Amino acid sequence: MNALLTRVLGREQTEGLHRVLLWAALAAALQGVAYALLVPLLTRLLGDDPDAAWPWVAALAAATVAYGAVAFTAAVRGNRFSADLGRTLHHRIGDHVVALPLGWFDGERTGALGQLAGQGVVQVMNAAANLLRPLCIAFVTPAVVVLATFAFDWRLALAMLVAAPVAAVAYRWSGRLMSRVDRQSHAAAAETADRLVEFARHQPALRAFGRTAEDHELLDAALREQHAKARAAVRVGVPGIAGFALAVQLCFTCVLLLGTVLALGGSVGAGELIAVLVLAVRFVEPMGAAAELGGSLRMARGTLERLDEVLAADPLPQPATTAPLPETYGIELDGVSFGYGDGRTVLDGLDLRVPAGHTVALVGPSGSGKTTVTRLIARFWDATGGTVRVGGADVRDLTTDQLMSRLAMVFQDVYLFAGTIEGNIRAGREDATDEEVREAGRIARVDEITERLPDGWAARVGEGGAALSGGERQRVSLARALLKRAPVVLLDEATSALDAENEAAIQQALDVLTADRTVLVVAHRLDTVRGADLIAFLEDGRVVERGTHEELLALGGRYAAFWGEREQASGWRLAARSQTRG
Ligand SMILES: Nc1ncnc2c1ncn2[C@@H]1O[C@H](COP(=O)(O)OP(=O)(O)OP(=O)(O)O)[C@@H](O)[C@H]1O
């Protein structure tokens, strides 16, 4: 457990936790001492000379005041520690997650991570603030009570001591039962959370296909599974908790019986018996509370284990020493192989060169790996074989900042941050002047959009840019790329057709963005393909043909066939359009 804590919380916070535990244990011990003082106090009070009780009253008062002060300090420290812990955990998760390869963030993990960083961290914080003290009381107070009883009557103390392992065994048994169902319930809850997020996010698509909550099968199945697990938790959990409570009560009854037998035998007086019974109650009560605390403690432990898994995921390795920044800006892929981890090979010994200042177009059938090539250059993933170089430097020898400062990326799925239009453009280069930001905006014709909006450049774009149209989002993202002024441009051309206004604006911005740059373009427009300095035709993760448009047409191979199909398709589109107009 300690190793798990150190891994997840870090050394400093684990030491902090030990200090909080120490204060809580001290408070619990003082509470035990106060209870123990009841024995001589009650014995004197119920005996022949009640005045002899006064010194014990004073001792009890002193122990109670000391307990109050220490318990208050323990509570304050516990709460302060809990707040620090929340911050630390969020930082640790954040720092680690930003260094993970993008391959780590598949749909399921993202949902689970959200739950872990939100609900999970709160659970651990609550455990630190509200669980440690009662837990110490549950174990330390009874221990002090047993020790005190030894001073008074060793037979009763022994009976309590025997009762402790019985209760401990029952506690472990009920805990084991519960933790199995806890794990299953948690997995079911995480799956339901994922499906709910998916259901909420993809409402347009679901509605378009007439899917309501009832017939969204995945969500429905997840909800059913969660319900079943919740019922199983009750089925298994209730006997566990009841069994533990029974064991505790049995122990108490045994002590009670023994005390009564001893009192009847005359070896213990009535006053002592009452005192010892009070102690016995104080002995079993905190142990009973342990059963309820156990559930929350197990959940906190489960959360720590899941956090441990996240923190154990290998980050994208960063170079030990920083390589000098490349002077030239060509791209080279040498014998690059890659798969997404599902056993399928996506790129298979791929060789590709984009000389500095040239434009290479990647074409090929859908799924041939064109987008994957751009992702490996941007090091969203590391190639499993071969080398990817930018400006002659292996991308693995460059820090993320170095590599990203070289690249401007324009991908199909544009994401805008939920800020203003201006803020989104500025994200391309934070230290750009206002004039530079506006200039980039003007080139991508974002000014035409801001003129229409009441807040102009300060108009908010909504989450992911939802307040703008698809074409408008692309224009803002292009302005962002333009502002970056990176020497290497990776471009995944949009496949979807845009209206004439957006199309013209985007083309104009792209012309500026790619002029005199090293450009690798996943090309879909025939003009882009034809205008490239070199075309690489990809099939099954390899470059099967390369050359200029004319050379490849003359070759009469895969590219020529592809070109023929595309031309025919665009001919059909043109014909269809002129027919509808006519
Ligand atoms: N994140 C991912 N996880 C698993 N497999 C993936 C992932 N992204 C792509 N693939 C798979 O890798 C293969 C290549 O995909 P890629 O997107 O590179 O192809 P593409 O040539 O760009 O296709 P398209 O022209 O349709 O965009 C495909 O079979 C695809 O299913």
Side-chain angles (χ1 to χ4, degrees):
M1 182 72 184
N2 211 41
L4 172 70
L5 284 170
T6 314
R7 279 199 306 272
V8 178
L9 311 183
R11 184 180 293 279
E12 205 178 306
Q13 291 290 337
T14 309
E15 283 169 7
L17 178 70
H18 287 159
R19 278 193 295 276
V20 171
L21 261 177
L22 212 65
W23 277 98
L26 191 62
L30 281 170
Q31 193 183 45
V33 168
Y35 289 147
L37 286 172
L38 285 175
V39 178
L41 176 67
L42 284 176
T43 314
R44 302 290 182 292
L45 216 55
L46 300 171
D48 303 331
D49 180 15
D51 279 348
W54 280 114
W56 296 108
V57 171
L60 179 62
T64 309
V65 169
Y67 164 70
V70 173
F72 177 75
T73 313
V76 170
R77 285 182 166 246
N79 280 314
R80 207 179 295 152
F81 172 74
S82 158
D84 277 356
L85 186 64
R87 249 196 320 275
T88 306
L89 281 177
H90 280 141
H91 278 299
R92 281 177 77 84
I93 297 172
D95 289 349
H96 190 73
V97 160
V98 291
L100 289 175
L102 286 189
W104 188 87
F105 297 86
D106 65 15
E108 273 169 37
R109 284 219 182 95
T110 316
L113 183 67
Q115 208 187 21
L116 210 52
Q119 213 178 329
V121 169
V122 171
Q123 223 168 47
V124 175
M125 286 170 69
N126 272 340
N130 306 321
L131 228 66
L132 293 182
R133 266 171 314 122
L135 212 67
C136 281
I137 289 174
F139 292 104
V140 177
T141 306
V144 175
V145 165
V146 171
L147 279 180
T149 314
F150 261 116
F152 166 69
D153 189 301
W154 66 271
R155 289 159 302 188
L156 286 167
L158 212 59
M160 287 182 180
L161 209 58
V162 172
V166 173
V169 168
Y171 180 70
R172 282 194 77 84
W173 169 72
S174 103
R176 219 172 279 155
L177 276 183
M178 285 301 290
S179 58
R180 213 176 42 231
V181 281
D182 275 354
R183 260 198 298 277
Q184 292 171 350
S185 308
H186 182 85
E191 171 72 14
T192 309
D194 276 346
R195 297 289 77 86
L196 270 170
V197 169
E198 180 190 63
F199 184 71
R201 258 204 203 135
H202 303 299
Q203 270 298 300
L206 290 167
R207 285 192 194 185
F209 291 100
R211 294 283 175 94
T212 59
E214 289 79 42
D215 41 59
H216 185 39
E217 274 157 34
L218 289 174
L219 175 61
D220 208 30
L223 284 169
R224 272 201 308 273
E225 177 71 8
Q226 192 185 12
H227 184 62
K229 291 291 178 259
R231 286 171 68 101
V234 173
R235 229 179 15 251
V236 176
V238 167
I241 292 176
F244 178 67
L246 191 71
V248 168
Q249 287 311 318
L250 272 179
C251 296
F252 177 60
T253 312
C254 288
V255 174
L256 186 76
L257 279 177
L258 184 65
T260 314
V261 168
L262 291 175
L264 289 176
S267 53
V268 173
E272 286 99 328
L273 183 62
I274 292 175
V276 121
L277 289 183
V278 170
L279 268 197
V281 172
R282 306 315 308 173
F283 173 69
V284 292
E285 206 180 61
M287 288 207 302
E292 284 161 35
L293 298 175
S296 315
L297 197 69
R298 271 193 310 278
M299 282 205 290
R301 191 194 166 115
T303 303
L304 284 176
E305 281 169 356
R306 285 191 298 281
L307 280 170
D308 191 31
E309 273 171 32
V310 171
L311 296 177
D314 287 332
L316 204 58
Q318 292 288 315
T321 52
T322 319
L325 274 175
E327 298 280 318
T328 60
Y329 305 113
I331 303 172
E332 291 152 46
L333 284 87
D334 271 338
V336 168
S337 302
F338 179 73
Y340 282 99
D342 53 6
R344 276 188 315 138
T345 303
V346 174
L347 300 182
D348 183 15
L350 178 129
D351 294 312
L352 184 71
R353 273 184 179 40
V354 187
H358 285 63
T359 297
V360 169
L362 277 180
V363 286
S366 178
S368 55
K370 305 180 293 291
T371 306
T372 305
V373 170
T374 60
R375 286 174 181 162
L376 295 191
I377 296 168
R379 212 183 168 212
F380 288 177
W381 280 269
D382 269 339
T384 41
T387 318
V388 179
R389 290 192 206 88
V390 171
D394 189 326
V395 288
R396 286 169 297 199
D397 294 337
L398 299 173
T399 63
T400 307
D401 286 348
Q402 278 183 327
L403 180 62
M404 288 306 149
S405 69
R406 292 298 174 258
L407 301 180
M409 290 175 278
V410 182
F411 290 151
Q412 281 195 37
D413 37 352
V414 172
Y415 188 87
L416 300 185
F417 309 105
T420 62
I421 290 187
E422 184 164 9
N424 265 286
I425 300 178
R426 191 180 287 282
R429 186 156 48 91
E430 288 297 342
D431 60 2
T433 63
D434 287 351
E435 190 36 50
E436 286 171 325
V437 172
R438 299 285 160 94
E439 179 58 23
R442 267 192 294 276
I443 298 171
R445 291 181 28 195
V446 177
D447 52 349
E448 291 171 10
I449 307 169
T450 55
E451 272 162 23
R452 282 200 293 269
L453 297 170
D455 291 332
W457 293 93
R460 304 193 73 79
V461 301
E463 196 194 335
L468 300 180
S469 76
E472 288 170 342
R473 278 202 290 277
Q474 284 188 3
R475 280 151 75 169
V476 175
S477 94
L478 269 171
R480 182 159 71 192
L482 278 164
L483 188 68
K484 195 168 179 185
R485 292 194 194 139
V488 179
V489 179
L490 301 177
L491 174 61
D492 201 343
E493 256 187 350
T495 40
S496 49
L498 292 167
D499 59 87
E501 183 195 340
N502 275 316
E503 175 100 35
I506 286 165
Q507 202 45 52
Q508 185 182 327
L510 280 175
D511 289 344
V512 178
L513 180 69
T514 54
D516 305 323
R517 306 286 154 92
T518 307
V519 183
L520 181 66
V521 51
V522 176
H524 296 290
R525 295 173 65 250
L526 297 185
D527 283 348
T528 314
V529 180
R530 202 176 10 217
D533 300 315
L534 187 95
I535 299 160
F537 191 89
L538 232 70
E539 200 164 53
D540 297 332
R542 303 181 79 104
V543 177
V544 290
E545 287 177 16
R546 73 186 81 212
T548 61
H549 174 68
E550 287 72 24
E551 284 167 356
L552 291 182
L553 277 189
L555 194 69
R558 296 288 296 118
Y559 175 79
F562 162 86
W563 183 262
E565 282 166 23
R566 284 296 172 95
E567 260 196 334
Q568 212 171 3
S570 72
W572 284 336
R573 270 207 296 277
L574 285 176
R577 238 184 249 172
S578 54
Q579 266 179 14
T580 42
R581 279 188 197 142

